[in-house]
């Protein structure tokens, strides 16, 4: 017998090695296993013959092997097996590549199910490397799990079956009352049906139940976070210094910036802590808003902290704020993962002795041993990169401190209200004057020659250029990595030019050095992976070239484009892509059509595609296993209502221990 908390290793068929593979999927015990849901299902009903299906369809056909399998060696390392099956009327020619084990197991005159794409022409039908199963042991609806190379979906499915057979009834987490009100089946049935539904309709009620439960858990966590923030604070601001701050700036603030600053200051003057999301499209000037609020807080006698998602960005904030505050006596320090240990110690001491007013940094700021004496304000920039938990941890560093999160990710308002239910929202809906829209074009790689000439002209005018390449997986040979492309350009087209390279695998110090040379204008062309994506501000850069643009989500493309058009010179974004895929082309054309992030987000919503505006990576919420924020918006609303009801009568969740455990699990695992 197995329990929900039995180690995965104790399931039949899972040894030490396999257990490790399961671990890498986040599966450690039976409980996490049964909550590892299928990505989709394959219909193996096999009630059709070759006659009934069309060329190119994915089909499942029951057929008999009619002659012994023939082996043919194509070349070293590639063996091909030719098989002939018959469905009773038509012959299906099947080829199997390199899978000797499978080929040898097939027996003449036995029945099999063939699952895969079929090629049909006038006279013949054939399938290349279909999945083949013995007819007697096939499930009609087969779950397909997000698998790994060494841990196939089929293997996961087998282990799942064993586990489900061996556990007793899965304890119910929701009260009968809730289940009735929202029309939900039992957890036990839902879990069993989501893995092994008897029919294609079976998994729908299962999905409904599990989606509801997941969103309910999420809402419970968020509502609890929110209520934690409702406590009164002693860190009240008594004087607004934003007018004084404006005199440090070389420009005047936009009305949207002034309004947002006003809203935040008003929050901090009240007796409750400020909890505000400042949403502004790329380039709307969020940094100046942050700086103004930091100034007011410090002048009121407190400390402030600002957290950025990357070292590059933290460093850049440190530099620009140091410059903005150069006429003041504010003491500012930078703390990141690569700050030397000795300096770190000094900073921590100074912080505790109140000798530092403003600490800027990466998530190193939320480590346990960083102690403030007098912290009143925490600003997190580009907050979508941070988890809800990280936000919460930093807020706990002071007594009910004011928190402001800044984000360039446009989220439709309805969704925002649910996701950020714990925050008030200010929107920077105005760009600083003199900005020109970035001219965007979609071209294919034949255009490179002209593009390079265009870049050279810009450099001759003293401007700079980014070239961004997608991250390349190890086994991909068809696209160029940033390193390869940079080398090719440095030795060819751009020989003699100052070309820099920036990619994820570089040491933080080297990245910073390159970024600094680019910011200082010493490097004219920066070839990079998406590490330049967030926040980087080099107003003299006017061209953003994105190679293999189809590889990027709309949100990333929008962020990348936001790196240019930051000064008053006309800027350009060139999306290079040879893709013929219609959906990809449509996404790229969206970029050409719109410059407003909210419009792009809406289109993304419609096109859906990779939909990365709403991936959990973007909003920093815990990763969801089965629910989808957008598609399940209705359920999200219901779950919120249900969570409110539960908390009203039982705030500590002492009557729902299972839900409480689940909530704690979900919020612990938040990754950024
Ligand atoms: P984001 O909102 O994307 O973080 P930044 O804060 O980096 O934008 O600001 C983008 C650029 O606009 C910076 O170079 C900044 O100095 C400039 N800027 C900000 N506010 C104004 C303003 N009111 N008028 C003119 N330029 C501004
Ligand atoms: Mg910014």
């Amino acid at each position: 017998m197995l329990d929900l908390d039995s180690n995965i290793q104790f399931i039949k068929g899972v040894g030490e090695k396999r257990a490790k593979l399961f671990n890498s999927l986040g599966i450690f015990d039976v409980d996490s296993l049964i909550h590892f849901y299928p990505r989709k299902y394959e219909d193996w009903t096999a009630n059709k013959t070759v006659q009934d299906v069309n060329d190119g369809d994915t089909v499942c056909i029951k057929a008999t092997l009619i002659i012994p399998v023939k082996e043919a060696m194509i070349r070293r390392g590639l063996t091909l097996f030719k098989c002939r099956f018959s469905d009773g009327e038509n012959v299906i020619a099947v080829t199997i590549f390199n899978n000797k084990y499978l080929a040898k197991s097939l027996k003449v005159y036995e029945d099999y199910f063939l699952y895969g794409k079929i090629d049909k022409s006038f006279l013949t039908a054939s399938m290349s490397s279909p999945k083949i199963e013995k007819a007697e042991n096939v499930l009609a609806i087969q779950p397909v799990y997000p698998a790994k190379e060494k841990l196939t979906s089929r293997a996961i499915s087998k282990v799942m079956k064993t586990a489900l057979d061996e556990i007793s009834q899965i304890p119910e987490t929701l009260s009968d009352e809730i289940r009735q009100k929202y029309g939900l089946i039992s957890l036990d049935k839902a879990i069993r049906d989501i893995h092994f539904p008897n029919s294609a309709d079976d998994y729908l009620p299962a999905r409904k139940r599990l989606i509801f439960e997941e969103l309910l858990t999420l809402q419970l966590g968020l509502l609890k976070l929110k209520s934690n923030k409702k406590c009164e604070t002693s860190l009240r601001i008594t004087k607004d210094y934003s007018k004084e701050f404006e005199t440090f700036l070389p420009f005047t603030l936009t009305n949207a910036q002034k309004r947002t600053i006003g809203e935040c200051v008003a929050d901090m003057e009240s007796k409750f802590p400020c909890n505000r999301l400042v949403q502004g499209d790329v380039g709307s000037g969020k940094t100046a808003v942050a700086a103004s609020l930091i100034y007011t807080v410090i002048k009121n006698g407190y400390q402030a902290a600002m957290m950025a998602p990357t070292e590059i960005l933290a460093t850049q904030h440190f530099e620009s704020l140091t410059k903005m505050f150069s006429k003041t006596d504010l003491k500012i320090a930078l703390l990141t993962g690569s700050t030397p240990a000795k300096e770190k110690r000094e900073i921590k001491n100074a912080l505790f002795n109140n000798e530092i007013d403003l600490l800027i940094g990466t998530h190193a700021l939320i480590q346990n041993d960083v102690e403030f004496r007098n912290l009143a304000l925490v600003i997190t920039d580009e907050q979508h990169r941070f988890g809800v938990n990280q936000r919460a941890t930093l807020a706990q560093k002071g007594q009910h401190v004011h928190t402001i999160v800044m984000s360039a990710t446009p989220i439709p308002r309805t969704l925002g209200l649910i996701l950020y239910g714990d925050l008030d929202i200010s929107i920077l809906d105005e760009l600083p004057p003199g900005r020109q829209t970035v001219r965007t074009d979609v071209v294919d790689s034949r255009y490179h020659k002209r593009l390079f000439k265009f870049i050279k002209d810009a450099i001759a005018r003293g401007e700079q250029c980014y070239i961004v390449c997608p991250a390349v997986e190890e086994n991909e040979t068809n696209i160029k990595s940033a390193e390869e492309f940079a080398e090719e350009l440095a030795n060819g087209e751009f020989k003699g030019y100052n070309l820099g390279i920036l990619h994820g695998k570089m040491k933080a110090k080297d990245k910073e050095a390159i970024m600094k040379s680019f910011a200082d204008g010493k490097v004219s062309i920066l070839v990079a992976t998406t590490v330049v994506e967030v926040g980087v501000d080099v107003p003299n850069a006017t061209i953003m070239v994105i190679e293999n643009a189809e590889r990027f989500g709309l949100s990333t493309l929008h962020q990348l484009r936001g790196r240019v058009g930051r000064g008053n010179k006309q800027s350009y974004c060139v999306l290079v892509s040879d893709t013929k895929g219609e959906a990809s082309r449509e996404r790229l054309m969206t970029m050409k059509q719109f410059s407003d992030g909210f419009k792009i987000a809406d289109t993304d919503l419609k096109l859906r595609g990779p939909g990365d505006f709403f991936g959990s990576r973007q909003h920093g919420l815990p990763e969801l296993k089965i629910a989808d924020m957008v598609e399940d918006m209705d359920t999200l609303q219901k779950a919120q209502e249900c969570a409110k009801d539960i908390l009203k009568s039982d705030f500590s969740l002492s009557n729902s221990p299972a839900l409480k455990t689940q909530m704690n699990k979900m919020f612990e695992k938040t990754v950024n």
Side-chain angles (χ1 to χ4, degrees), residues 249-255 257 280-289 316-317 324 381-382 406 408 428 431-433 435 535-539 559 562-563 566-567:
L249 295 173
F251 45 76
T252 47
L253 292 172
T254 64
N255 286 328
Q257 284 170 316
D281 213 340
V282 284
S284 56
K286 293 185 286 294
T287 317
V289 170
Q316 196 167 59
H317 279 327
M324 266 186 223
D381 190 21
E382 303 297 347
M406 306 205 294
L428 287 170
L431 293 181
R435 287 287 163 77
V536 175
D537 185 37
V538 181
Q559 281 289 332
R563 298 310 110 216
R566 299 177 82 82

Side-chain angles (χ1 to χ4, degrees), residues 455-620:
I455 294 173
K456 284 176 190 166
D457 291 347
I459 294 174
R461 291 193 300 271
E463 297 166 19
Q464 290 161 280
C465 168
Y466 294 100
I467 300 179
V468 173
C469 302
V472 178
E473 308 270 322
E474 248 166 51
N475 51 6
E476 281 183 313
T477 46
N478 54 336
I479 63 167
K480 284 191 195 108
S481 69
E483 290 107 302
E484 283 172 323
F485 200 47
E487 193 162 318
E488 192 181 306
L489 293 179
N491 295 323
E493 233 8 275
F494 290 100
K495 206 169 177 147
Y497 283 78
N498 276 327
L499 192 134
I501 169 147
L502 191 68
H503 59 81
K505 280 175 245 140
M506 284 164 65
K507 291 213 189 82
K509 273 227 139 29
D510 299 336
K511 283 193 218 169
E512 242 167 69
I514 287 287
M515 210 48 233
K516 187 155 174 13
S517 329
F518 188 67
D520 295 345
K522 286 180 201 137
V523 164
S524 316
I525 307 172
L526 185 65
V527 183
T529 52
T530 44
V531 284
V532 292
E533 177 189 339
V534 281
V536 175
D537 185 37
V538 181
N540 192 47
T542 55
I543 302 178
M544 167 63 69
V545 176
I546 304 174
E547 295 288 329
N548 292 95
E550 76 283 354
R551 288 288 183 116
F552 299 91
L554 279 177
S555 135
T556 306
L557 290 175
H558 181 62
Q559 281 289 332
L560 285 171
R561 179 169 60 185
R563 298 310 110 216
V564 296
R566 299 177 82 82
N568 45 17
K569 296 183 204 99
Q570 176 62 54
S571 294
Y572 303 86
C573 174
V574 186
L575 307 172
V576 184
S577 172
D578 289 329
T579 183
K580 303 254 166 359
E582 216 166 287
S584 304
R585 290 226 76 88
E586 200 172 343
R587 273 190 317 126
L588 297 180
M589 293 318 278
T590 304
M591 291 299 297
K592 189 177 159 92
Q593 196 178 355
F594 299 118
S595 55
D596 175 338
F598 282 88
K599 291 233 175 67
I600 294 174
D602 274 348
T603 314
D604 198 30
L605 202 57
K606 283 188 203 111
L607 297 176
R608 204 54 183 97
D612 68 333
F613 263 106
F614 304 103
S616 67
R617 201 173 67 79
Q618 295 293 341
H619 51 60

Side-chain angles (χ1 to χ4, degrees), residues 89-240:
E89 279 175 36
N90 289 284
V91 170
I92 309 162
V94 167
T95 38
I96 301 174
F97 293 97
N98 270 0
N99 192 342
K100 192 166 182 161
Y101 174 77
L102 172 67
K104 294 284 171 202
S105 75
L106 301 177
K107 296 204 174 66
V108 187
Y109 306 131
E110 298 244 350
D111 290 342
Y112 293 92
F113 279 10
L114 310 175
Y115 185 98
K117 208 176 114 194
I118 191 158
D119 289 312
K120 240 178 99 171
S121 65
F122 183 54
L123 289 172
T124 63
S126 62
M127 293 173 88
S128 171
S129 290
K131 293 183 188 168
I132 305 179
E133 297 267 358
K134 255 193 152 135
E136 64 254 35
N137 47 20
V138 161
L139 293 161
I141 306 291
Q142 300 208 3
V144 179
Y145 294 96
K148 298 201 129 193
E149 205 178 324
K150 292 205 177 95
L151 186 61
T152 61
S153 169
R154 191 153 171 258
I156 297 174
S157 160
K158 266 193 165 155
V159 171
M160 194 71 76
K161 185 107 190 93
T162 313
L164 287 174
D165 284 346
E166 293 221 355
I167 51 171
S168 45
Q169 185 160 353
I170 301 163
E172 183 52 57
T173 44
L174 303 178
S175 69
D176 291 351
E177 199 190 333
I178 290 177
R179 274 175 48 200
Q180 230 156 43
K181 180 166 178 191
Y182 296 100
L184 305 169
I185 62 172
S186 76
L187 181 60
D188 185 72
K189 184 160 171 48
I191 292 279
R192 292 177 196 275
D193 284 358
I194 199 80
H195 293 294
F196 302 107
N198 289 318
S199 74
D201 298 334
D202 245 16
Y203 60 81
L204 294 174
R207 268 185 70 83
K208 179 177 168 191
R209 155 78 206 226
L210 296 170
I211 287 171
F212 185 89
E213 178 145 350
E214 182 164 56
L215 293 174
L216 175 66
T217 311
L218 174 74
Q219 285 301 328
L220 285 171
L222 289 177
L223 288 173
K224 274 181 126 359
L225 271 179
K226 178 176 184 171
S227 66
N228 285 344
K229 294 174 181 165
K230 274 251 173 74
C231 310
E232 293 193 15
T233 178
S234 53
L235 304 170
R236 283 171 75 171
I237 294 306
T238 49
K239 188 162 184 255
D240 180 356

Side-chain angles (χ1 to χ4, degrees), residues 335-337 344 348 362-371 393-394 397:
L335 183 71
T336 68
K344 243 181 221 168
K348 284 175 194 166
T362 52
H363 61 272
L365 281 194
I366 58 173
Q367 276 155 10
N368 281 336
D369 57 344
V370 180
E371 274 184 73
T393 318
L394 191 51
K397 293 224 167 273

